[in-house]
Amino acid sequence: MIEINLLKLNFHNKEFSHVRDIRESVFHRELGISKKDLFDEQDETCDHFLIFDGKQIVGSVRMRSIKKIIKLERMAILKDFRTKNYGKNCILQLKEYYSKIGYSKIILDSIYSVRNFYKKCDFIEEGEVFQRVGIDHIRMTLTF
Ligand SMILES: CC(C)(COP(=O)(O)OP(=O)(O)OC[C@H]1O[C@@H](n2cnc3c(N)ncnc32)[C@H](O)[C@@H]1OP(=O)(O)O)[C@@H](O)C(=O)NCCC(=O)NCCS
């Protein structure tokens, strides 16, 4: 599998500006999500990760701890770097990292049309389709 590196950061690190750029590019300009929905107060307490392919930044994701469960949110691989297994590799690394620090379950709310990506990462669908920011979503879980 292709190698990627993850840089863990928080909201106050200067590198958070890259997370801003990626969310604007993917969620606002590409998916049409309103700018006001790109960031929220949870950003201040989440773990954030920049995804590197060895040379450049290819994406970002945030991980939010909710009691004993970790929730994966705002996962984005920049358009030019998709379908190279960066997303899947990132999730594998996150799973390993959070497993080592005591978590045994990752949950996420997948945009419905990309749920098969998460299935390839061993997540399973749970519950009903629901709407958020005008887009169909479904809860998915991975237990390890
Ligand atoms: C969804 C996303 C994170 C996937 O990242 P990626 O790096 O392109 O995915 P990978 O290359 O690691 O793909 C892993 C597998 O999932 C499949 N896959 C990737 N994107 C998919 C999609 N949108 N639908 C169905 N399958 C998909 C790949 O074909 C690959 O299959 P394989 O293992 O059989 O080869 C990326 O397309 C993205 O950022 N999209 C826009 C933002 C978004 O929708 N984020 C998710 C919010 S819930």
Side-chain angles (χ1 to χ4, degrees):
M1 180 170 281
I2 194 143
E3 271 304 310
I4 52 141
N5 301 299
L6 299 183
L7 175 67
K8 183 166 173 273
L9 55 133
N10 68 46
F11 182 72
H12 300 287
N13 294 132
K14 69 176 183 339
E15 290 85 359
F16 191 80
S17 65
H18 295 295
V19 175
R20 290 186 187 282
D21 294 345
I22 293 164
R23 287 195 202 165
E24 286 201 10
S25 168
V26 173
F27 294 116
H28 177 61
R29 291 198 289 279
E30 197 181 328
L31 298 185
I33 295 171
S34 165
K35 277 196 176 181
K36 72 172 171 44
D37 292 322
L38 297 185
F39 302 92
D40 62 22
E41 67 285 355
Q42 311 289 356
D43 280 317
E44 294 190 33
T45 52
C46 285
D47 293 340
H48 298 274
F49 293 86
L50 283 174
I51 308 163
F52 290 83
D53 73 350
K55 279 191 274 189
Q56 51 214 326
I57 297 169
V58 301
S60 66
V61 61
R62 82 176 188 188
M63 301 295 276
R64 178 151 72 97
S65 178
I66 307 168
K67 295 180 185 158
K68 302 286 262 182
I69 292 173
I70 195 89
K71 185 158 184 266
L72 183 151
E73 297 181 326
R74 312 286 207 271
M75 169 104 196
I77 300 291
L78 292 167
K79 204 168 189 173
D80 288 349
F81 300 97
R82 295 203 187 130
T83 64
K84 296 173 187 288
N85 269 313
Y86 292 156
K88 189 172 177 181
N89 190 319
C90 171
I91 286 181
L92 276 174
Q93 289 194 31
L94 290 171
K95 178 179 148 187
E96 204 174 301
Y97 174 75
Y98 284 98
S99 161
K100 277 187 188 151
I101 60 170
Y103 291 88
S104 56
K105 187 172 181 176
I106 302 177
I107 63 170
L108 59 85
D109 294 330
S110 172
I111 292 178
Y112 192 68
S113 62
V114 303
R115 69 195 181 287
N116 287 336
F117 160 70
Y118 292 112
K119 282 188 191 167
K120 293 263 169 99
C121 303
D122 297 330
F123 282 80
I124 53 170
E125 292 179 27
E126 201 174 74
E128 302 292 316
V129 177
F130 62 94
Q131 282 247 320
R132 180 179 294 149
V133 295
I135 300 175
D136 282 349
H137 282 75
I138 188 154
R139 172 62 52 95
M140 301 186 80
T141 63
L142 174 65
T143 306
F144 43 90

